């Protein structure tokens, strides 16, 4: 993986010149080598010309935009070059057939619960995740599966609170807006992961709008939500616990005026830097037998899903083994 | 792999080489680029540079390392450009 993610946190203009990109702000001009960009995350107010869009489309580079509160607001999803009608039909077939959909939906939740369990046991916390896994087996409806997922997550946050320092307890999970620092970190991290997964899906033949666990509503890439369930515990939650436990983040990284519900620029910078490091971190993959990065793991998950949809190999959700 | 490319070319072609390399690598100093690329990307750069450059007048040197970790970089004086991906 030599193409890199670029994170833009300062205001400026993105310009096309000499067939490459230039980022211009008050400090000056900075060329970004077009062939080394994997995707761009825009957290600041960024002006973009249509020439830039044309170039990004040609190179197949998505840009993810976040609003000033750090919430995901949308992506520039370049013209699809990896198309497969066959796969789209099979994706839809697996959605329509209730049994097939249930299998995939429960697999996603199973993986998510297993990964939550891993995080808890890493911190030596006793948990009842196994009973929830049992409950999952008897589910006959998507709503029941969602219910198990919700209960697992509520228990999980409650247990994590035991090891978190006073100011960083999660309490209730609150969104739009997050009501405390831990919730702000979770929201920020989850939307970052969500867009990372969109980038990965872009690089496969999968259609991002057909999902199994979440209802495929219009105007959103719900397949990315499905896959993000698997990776939230090991990428986002572990990262947040790491930042808090190592005292790398504190009250000064949040907006005081907004009741600490929002990361300020410095806080965002810290978070994004560590997040990027984590994506590049490698582990030895058991099946492939060589080192793969966390980012690559997400892509492998997409490939596994494709194999399942095409009926080549049964899908087994990703479960961390370390 | 990690590469450092330095070039000394006729002034007529300096801008051409610079504009080309900017698409793949990060500019560090006048006539010096570096960055992480794949083997195939390097082959492509070599091929394209040989069409831009005139072999009897110009000189391009490519230093390559297996990974960035295989090399050590120190900067004395001012660092002319930052190469971080977080802007």
């Amino acid at each position: 993986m030599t193409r890199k993610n670029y994170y833009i946190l300062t205001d400026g203009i993105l310009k096309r010149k000499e067939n490459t990109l230039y980022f211009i702000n008050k400090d000056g001009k900075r060329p970004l080598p077009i062939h080394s960009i994997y995707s761009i995350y825009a957290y600041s107010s960024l002006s973009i010309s249509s020439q830039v869009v044309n170039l990004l489309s040609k190179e197949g580079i998505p840009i993810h935009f976040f609003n000033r509160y750090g919430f995901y607001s949308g992506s520039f999803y370049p013209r699809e070059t990896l198309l497969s009608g066959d796969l789209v039909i099979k994706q839809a077939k697996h959605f329509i057939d209730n049994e097939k959909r249930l299998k995939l939906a429960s697999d996603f939740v199973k993986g998510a619960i297993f990964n939550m369990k891993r995080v808890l046991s890493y911190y030596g916390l006793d948990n009842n995740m196994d009973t929830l896994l049992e409950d999952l087996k008897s589910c006959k409806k998507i709503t029941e599966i969602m219910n198990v997922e919700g209960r697992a997550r509520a228990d999980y946050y409650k247990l994590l609170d035991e090891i978190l320092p006073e100011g960083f307890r999660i309490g209730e999970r609150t969104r739009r807006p997050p009501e405390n620092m831990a919730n702000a970190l979770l929201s920020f991290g989850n939307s970052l992961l969500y867009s990372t997964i969109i980038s990965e899906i872009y690089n496969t033949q999968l259609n991002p709008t057909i999902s199994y666990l979440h209802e495929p509503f219009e105007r959103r890439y719900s397949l990315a939500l499905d896959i993000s369930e698997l990776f939230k515990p090991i990428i986002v939650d572990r990262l947040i616990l790491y930042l808090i436990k190592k005292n790398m983040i504190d009250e000064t990284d949040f907006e005081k005026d907004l009741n600490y519900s929002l990361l300020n620029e410095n806080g965002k910078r810290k978070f994004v830097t560590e997040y990027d490091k984590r994506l590049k971190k490698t582990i030895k993959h058991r099946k492939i037998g060589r080192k793969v990065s966390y980012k690559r793991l997400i892509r492998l998950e997409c490939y596994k899903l494709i194999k399942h949809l095409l009926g080549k190999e049964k899908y087994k959700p990703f479960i961390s083994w370390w | 792999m990690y590469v450092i490319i330095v070039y000394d070319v006729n002034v007529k072609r300096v801008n051409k080489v610079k504009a080309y390399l900017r698409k793949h690598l990060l500019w560090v100093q006048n006539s010096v680029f570096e960055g992480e690329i794949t083997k195939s990307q390097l082959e492509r750069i070599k091929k394209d540079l040989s069409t831009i450059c005139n072999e009897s007048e110009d000189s391009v040197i490519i230093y390559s390392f297996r990974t960035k970790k295989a090399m050590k970089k120190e900067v004395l004086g001012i660092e002319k450009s930052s190469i971080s991906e977080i802007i």
Side-chain angles (χ1 to χ4, degrees), chain A residues 270-282:
Chain A
K270 273 186 200 167
F271 195 101
V272 163
T273 314
E274 290 302 319
Y275 176 82
D276 196 54
K277 265 194 210 157
R278 197 146 283 233
L279 283 186
K280 283 185 198 147
K281 219 167 124 179
T282 57

Side-chain angles (χ1 to χ4, degrees), chain A residues 170-282:
Chain A
I170 303 160
E172 189 102 343
R173 177 82 176 99
T174 46
R175 267 169 289 195
R176 297 162 195 256
E179 275 165 15
N180 56 30
M181 290 193 284
N183 271 301
L185 289 172
L186 281 170
S187 293
F188 188 83
N190 287 345
S191 48
L192 198 54
L193 178 67
Y194 177 63
S195 36
T196 305
I197 294 173
I198 293 174
S199 285
E200 293 304 322
I201 294 177
Y202 175 73
N203 286 295
T204 68
Q205 282 84 352
L206 285 168
N207 184 311
T209 54
I210 304 175
S211 60
Y212 302 97
L213 176 62
H214 297 79
E215 288 298 330
F217 287 121
E218 277 167 35
R219 300 181 201 90
R220 63 174 198 176
Y221 298 132
S222 40
L223 187 61
L225 292 174
D226 281 7
I227 297 173
S228 74
E229 294 295 339
L230 296 172
F231 292 96
K232 267 186 215 165
I234 49 159
I235 297 182
V236 179
D237 301 348
R238 284 287 299 274
L239 173 64
I240 292 171
L241 290 166
Y242 170 81
L243 287 172
I244 296 173
K245 286 272 176 191
K246 300 252 172 204
N247 287 328
M248 288 165 87
I249 215 153
D250 56 37
E251 280 123 32
T252 55
D253 294 313
F254 293 84
E255 294 280 359
K256 199 181 165 200
D257 304 340
L258 296 163
N259 204 13
Y260 301 109
S261 63
L262 195 65
L263 280 162
N264 61 24
E265 200 190 313
N266 202 15
K268 279 181 198 164
R269 198 170 285 269
K270 273 186 200 167
F271 195 101
V272 163
T273 314
E274 290 302 319
Y275 176 82
D276 196 54
K277 265 194 210 157
R278 197 146 283 233
L279 283 186
K280 283 185 198 147
K281 219 167 124 179
T282 57

Side-chain angles (χ1 to χ4, degrees), chain A residues 32-252:
Chain A
L32 309 177
I34 189 81
H35 293 299
S36 80
I37 307 175
Y38 187 75
S39 51
I40 300 173
Y41 295 77
Y43 277 97
S44 57
S45 64
L46 191 64
S47 305
I48 292 181
S49 66
S50 66
Q51 291 144 304
V52 169
V53 172
N54 287 335
L55 187 63
L56 291 173
S57 168
K58 194 174 141 227
E59 299 291 333
I61 300 164
I63 301 195
H64 308 293
F65 296 99
F66 300 85
N67 69 9
R68 101 190 174 81
Y69 304 106
F71 295 141
Y72 176 74
S73 50
S75 301
F76 164 65
Y77 200 75
R79 182 173 63 90
E80 286 253 29
T81 48
L82 295 168
L83 292 166
S84 162
D86 184 37
L87 185 66
V88 175
I89 290 166
K90 291 205 164 110
Q91 243 185 298
K93 266 190 183 161
H94 279 256
F95 174 76
I96 296 164
D97 186 325
N98 205 33
E99 207 169 299
K100 283 181 177 158
R101 185 181 169 193
L102 274 177
K103 147 95 178 107
L104 282 172
S106 69
D107 271 351
F108 285 129
V109 174
K110 197 168 109 193
I113 295 178
F114 260 114
N115 289 331
M116 283 190 241
K117 206 175 129 188
R118 278 279 190 280
V119 175
L120 293 173
S121 53
Y122 178 86
Y123 287 97
L125 294 164
D126 286 333
N127 55 70
N128 62 341
M129 292 291 162
D130 291 322
T131 54
L132 287 162
L133 284 171
E134 281 302 311
D135 291 353
L136 193 63
K137 282 183 191 152
S138 58
C139 289
K140 293 277 171 294
K141 277 193 209 122
I142 295 291
T143 46
E144 287 170 19
I145 293 176
M146 285 292 250
N147 183 14
V148 174
E149 199 261 321
R151 265 158 49 211
R153 209 160 278 274
D155 286 355
Y156 168 72
Y157 288 138
K158 209 182 280 167
L159 285 165
L160 285 184
D161 269 353
E162 287 176 20
I163 53 153
L164 288 172
E166 190 79 47
F168 276 103
R169 300 238 163 94
I170 303 160
E172 189 102 343
R173 177 82 176 99
T174 46
R175 267 169 289 195
R176 297 162 195 256
E179 275 165 15
N180 56 30
M181 290 193 284
N183 271 301
L185 289 172
L186 281 170
S187 293
F188 188 83
N190 287 345
S191 48
L192 198 54
L193 178 67
Y194 177 63
S195 36
T196 305
I197 294 173
I198 293 174
S199 285
E200 293 304 322
I201 294 177
Y202 175 73
N203 286 295
T204 68
Q205 282 84 352
L206 285 168
N207 184 311
T209 54
I210 304 175
S211 60
Y212 302 97
L213 176 62
H214 297 79
E215 288 298 330
F217 287 121
E218 277 167 35
R219 300 181 201 90
R220 63 174 198 176
Y221 298 132
S222 40
L223 187 61
L225 292 174
D226 281 7
I227 297 173
S228 74
E229 294 295 339
L230 296 172
F231 292 96
K232 267 186 215 165
I234 49 159
I235 297 182
V236 179
D237 301 348
R238 284 287 299 274
L239 173 64
I240 292 171
L241 290 166
Y242 170 81
L243 287 172
I244 296 173
K245 286 272 176 191
K246 300 252 172 204
N247 287 328
M248 288 165 87
I249 215 153
D250 56 37
E251 280 123 32
T252 55

Side-chain angles (χ1 to χ4, degrees), chain A residues 2 4-10 18-20 22-23 30-35 269 273 276 280, chain B residues 1 15 18-19 21-27 35-38 41 44 82-87:
Chain A
T2 51
K4 294 190 176 83
N5 284 330
Y6 280 79
Y7 303 86
I8 300 176
L9 297 163
T10 48
E18 294 167 339
N19 269 329
T20 191
Y22 280 75
F23 177 72
R30 219 199 112 162
L32 309 177
I34 189 81
H35 293 299
R269 198 170 285 269
T273 314
D276 196 54
K280 283 185 198 147
Chain B
M1 68 199 306
N15 265 324
K18 185 187 74 184
L21 287 176
R22 258 195 185 146
K23 286 193 254 175
H24 298 269
L25 299 162
L26 297 151
W27 181 89
E36 180 111 41
I37 53 170
T38 57
Q41 242 181 321
R44 183 162 183 181
S82 96
I83 53 173
S84 150
E85 293 107 53
I86 294 146
I87 312 161

Side-chain angles (χ1 to χ4, degrees), chain A residues 271-298:
Chain A
F271 195 101
V272 163
T273 314
E274 290 302 319
Y275 176 82
D276 196 54
K277 265 194 210 157
R278 197 146 283 233
L279 283 186
K280 283 185 198 147
K281 219 167 124 179
T282 57
I283 49 137
K284 178 118 187 215
H285 197 285
R286 278 184 177 170
K287 201 172 166 194
I288 306 176
R290 61 179 171 82
K291 284 183 168 181
V292 290
S293 65
Y294 278 76
K295 194 164 101 181
R296 192 73 186 170
L297 275 177
I298 302 174

